[in-house]
Amino acid sequence: MRGILIFLASTLAVIIGSSALLYEGEGEVITIGASTGPYSDMVNFALKPALEDQGYTVEIVEYTDYIQPNNALHNGDLDANLYQNKSFMSDFNEENGTDFTNLIQVPTAPMGLYSSEYESLEEIENGSEVALPLDPVNSSRGFHTLVDAGLIEIAEDANMLAVEESDIIQNNKNLEFVYQDSGQLPRSVDQIGLSLVPGNFALASGMDLADALQLENMNENFRNQVVINASDEDSKLAEDLIQAVKSDHFQDTIDSRFQGFDKPEGQ
């Protein structure tokens, strides 16, 4: 009997010891959501290794829309996400009663004006149709890109984070605007001939940022960021996420794999 008890105690000690070693080797498991394409790649190749160097085990969940990553973050299925800008986050908080906060901005693929018909801005014909994103935040980015291209002018008193057609005071080519879901915009390059495509959708569709007739001069409110629940803002994880983005590995990966992305100041 005594021998059986000793055997059982030894076995239990081995199990507990093995579990402790496994947990120690695994580190804290965190889950980060990102949109499919360049931002899931950014998490996978740039952010994940930097967090693993800090002892975390990182799981990545990819999404094909802009709503589910925030729902999952709010529900606790994610610890953080990377796909949205400050303006989108603020609008989502207001409309859905969530309480998200941004930790740090990341390099972001700029929106571009692409065409299958024209090789330069000067060639664009009077009365041409141009496709823009349907949602207000990204349509504002589209209008700003058209301003950068010299194709339209916007009233000085317009809300620059929520530009609408009614804010246009000069339309030099009499452009006609067609609004579509962002995921449809790469196809509109061929279907319509002119399309303002957010950078992540352009890259996910195999487009080259360098082929754009005009790239967005990005406002900091439109640059993507790492987002968490505000209740976690002062957590150790929040601190470590910031440090991961500032790490040499993250910055070196951006330089080698994400050329053409607009970088926040100081990165």
Side-chain angles (χ1 to χ4, degrees), residues 87-88 91 95 133-143 160-164 179 222:
S87 294
F88 183 91
D91 288 348
E95 294 173 6
L134 183 63
D135 66 282
V137 170
N138 283 310
S139 63
S140 290
R141 294 174 61 193
F143 286 127
M160 293 303 170
L161 301 181
V163 178
E164 299 178 351
Y179 299 91
F222 298 142

Side-chain angles (χ1 to χ4, degrees), residues 110-114 131 133 182 185-186 189 195-203 207:
M111 180 176 286
L113 176 63
Y114 296 88
S182 292
L185 291 169
V189 175
S195 185
L196 286 150
V197 186
N200 59 316
F201 287 101
L203 293 171
M207 299 168 67

